[in-house]
Amino acid sequence: AQSVSQHNHHVILSEAASLELGCNYSYGGTVNLFWYVQYPGQHLQLLLKYFSGDPLVKGIKGFEAEFIKSKFSFNLRKPSVQWSDTAEYFCAVNARNYGQNFVFGPGTRLSVLP
Amino acid sequence: DAGVTQSPTHLIKTRGQQVTLRCSPKSGHDTVSWYQQALGQGPQFIFQYYEEEERQRGNFPDRFSGHQFPNYSSELNVNALLLGDSALYLCASSLQGATDTQYFGPGTRLTVL
């Protein structure tokens, strides 16, 4: 079965610390990869996406992610977090051989302390 | 340019009842997907509609059904509600049912008592 795992359930950082959130998926074929963010009380918003090409993709608000095909990973990074980055982060995968739906990871809650 | 809209925002039902949730896709989008997000979990795919037909379905029972209208808006129906159906129901829209970015609405919070 298709699955997406996220390494951490809850991450707590101080402002200006660097962030890396892990995401691994279990598909053998071609995939599209996404990171979505859900700020408190708001709807899911797209942070960044990878379809093909350069495996290092840049998104909004200073976030970036690196696709490592050999490791089936798509980790999210930010060099310096802000209090406003406090949110739930979801990795999602669309495996082209499996149809049109997205499979989401369980999410990682990020708390940034001022 | 309106984004994805959903109604109602909140809903409280009792076990055994039926509920209908509504979604209007982002302008220009023709494909609607529905997800269930239980508290503390990631969204789980329910089904996707394109050209008024269900194209793909996740691992949800037949109590969950849907419909897409000619204007691309969609409804999610849940019959014989169970306590476990309490969740945030998300609608996402995209183009042409392809593996494109999905844009999410704010969701409908369903509470089953």
Side-chain angles (χ1 to χ4, degrees):
Chain A
Q2 314 160 48
S3 68
V4 178
S5 61
Q6 293 184 236
H7 302 173
N8 307 97
H9 179 66
H10 188 192
V11 173
I12 302 174
L13 295 173
S14 298
E15 276 193 316
S18 64
L19 170 71
E20 181 161 1
L21 301 181
C23 170
N24 286 90
Y25 61 93
S26 61
Y27 304 101
T30 305
V31 294
N32 297 322
L33 299 159
F34 305 82
W35 275 97
Y36 281 85
V37 61
Q38 194 169 32
Y39 296 105
Q42 297 187 28
H43 62 276
L44 279 166
Q45 301 173 36
L46 180 68
L47 266 182
L48 47 79
K49 61 185 178 182
Y50 172 80
F51 284 3
S52 63
D54 188 344
L56 184 62
V57 293
K58 296 190 183 299
I60 61 171
K61 304 185 180 184
F63 285 91
E64 64 179 30
E66 184 176 13
F67 170 52
I68 302 179
K69 188 174 181 180
S70 61
K71 295 185 178 180
F72 299 90
S73 70
F74 190 55
N75 292 354
L76 180 71
R77 299 195 291 250
K78 186 171 184 179
S80 176
V81 295
Q82 301 173 319
W83 176 79
S84 59
D85 292 325
T86 295
E88 189 93 21
Y89 291 81
F90 295 94
C91 179
V93 176
N94 170 254
R96 300 180 201 175
N97 291 338
Y98 286 89
Q100 313 301 330
N101 63 300
F102 281 32
V103 178
F104 281 82
T108 296
R109 184 155 63 101
L110 172 65
S111 298
V112 180
L113 306 177
Chain B
D1 180 20
V4 180
T5 59
Q6 293 185 242
S7 63
T9 305
H10 296 88
L11 206 50
I12 299 175
K13 293 285 188 179
T14 57
R15 281 183 300 174
Q17 285 189 310
Q18 178 263 345
V19 68
T20 298
L21 310 181
R22 295 175 177 82
C23 171
S24 291
K26 181 178 168 65
S27 177
H29 284 183
D30 56 10
T31 301
V32 172
S33 302
W34 286 93
Y35 293 82
Q36 180 195 67
Q37 186 179 15
L39 202 60
Q41 297 182 24
Q44 301 277 318
F45 175 74
I46 302 174
F47 42 53
Q48 184 181 79
Y49 277 84
Y50 170 63
E51 292 188 335
E52 303 179 49
E53 291 189 358
E54 183 182 294
R55 286 170 59 98
Q56 192 173 3
R57 188 179 185 92
N59 189 25
F60 279 80
D62 292 344
R63 298 187 297 109
F64 289 76
S65 63
H67 187 76
Q68 186 179 35
F69 299 93
N71 67 352
Y72 308 123
S73 66
S74 177
E75 289 182 349
L76 164 65
N77 301 292
V78 187
N79 295 322
L81 285 167
L82 304 173
L83 295 178
D85 295 331
S86 295
L88 182 68
Y89 288 85
L90 298 169
C91 170
S93 75
S94 56
L95 267 173
Q96 204 264 315
T99 54
D100 202 345
T101 306
Q102 294 192 350
Y103 293 84
F104 285 82
T108 293
R109 173 73 62 188
L110 173 65
T111 301
V112 182
L113 303 177

